[in-house]
Amino acid sequence: MKHKTLLILTVIFILAVLLRAISAQHSNVITDESVFAVRSINFLSSGMYSTIDQAPLHLALVDLSERAFGVSGWSSRLPNIIFGGLAIFLIYLIVREFGDRKWALFS
């Protein structure tokens, strides 16, 4: 049963990441995304790891993604795509802790 649950969660994770990646490919960079994308360029090499109004971890992850794949709308969204998919596992674990496996998979 545990292997079946893991397989189902893996399939859901892959589908979620693929759907988010396809959506990111076909939408424009707007509002907060554009601000984060611009401010994250060379964030790690700047030495300024503290910000007042933005999350430094997010800026660092976007900077790493932009270094690896170049500066683009897609590369600035890649950390959000990955962590959005990982949130599926987190939600599953939380619901399983307070409920049962069926509800956890349903969530």
Side-chain angles (χ1 to χ4, degrees):
M1 183 68 171
K2 289 183 181 183
H3 295 294
K4 184 178 178 182
T5 302
L6 183 61
L7 178 66
I8 291 171
L9 279 174
T10 304
V11 168
I12 292 171
F13 170 77
I14 291 170
L15 285 173
V17 169
L18 285 175
L19 289 173
R20 284 184 172 104
I22 291 169
S23 176
Q25 189 76 20
H26 297 293
S27 60
N28 295 326
V29 177
I30 55 173
T31 60
D32 288 342
E33 286 183 320
S34 60
V35 172
F36 277 112
V38 170
R39 288 195 179 178
S40 65
I41 297 172
N42 295 323
F43 177 75
L44 292 174
S45 62
S46 71
M48 186 185 78
Y49 303 123
S50 176
T51 62
I52 294 173
D53 60 343
Q54 295 176 340
L57 179 60
H58 182 262
L59 292 175
L61 292 172
V62 172
D63 185 24
L64 289 173
S65 176
E66 289 175 342
R67 286 180 188 200
F69 302 108
V71 178
S72 68
W74 189 83
S75 65
S76 67
R77 292 177 175 159
L78 184 60
N80 295 334
I81 292 169
I82 293 171
F83 283 101
L86 291 174
I88 292 169
F89 290 111
L90 180 63
I91 291 170
Y92 169 79
L93 292 173
I94 291 170
V95 174
R96 189 185 72 182
E97 183 69 28
F98 295 108
D100 61 354
R101 282 188 201 273
K102 289 181 183 179
W103 281 108
L105 277 176
F106 183 70
S107 66

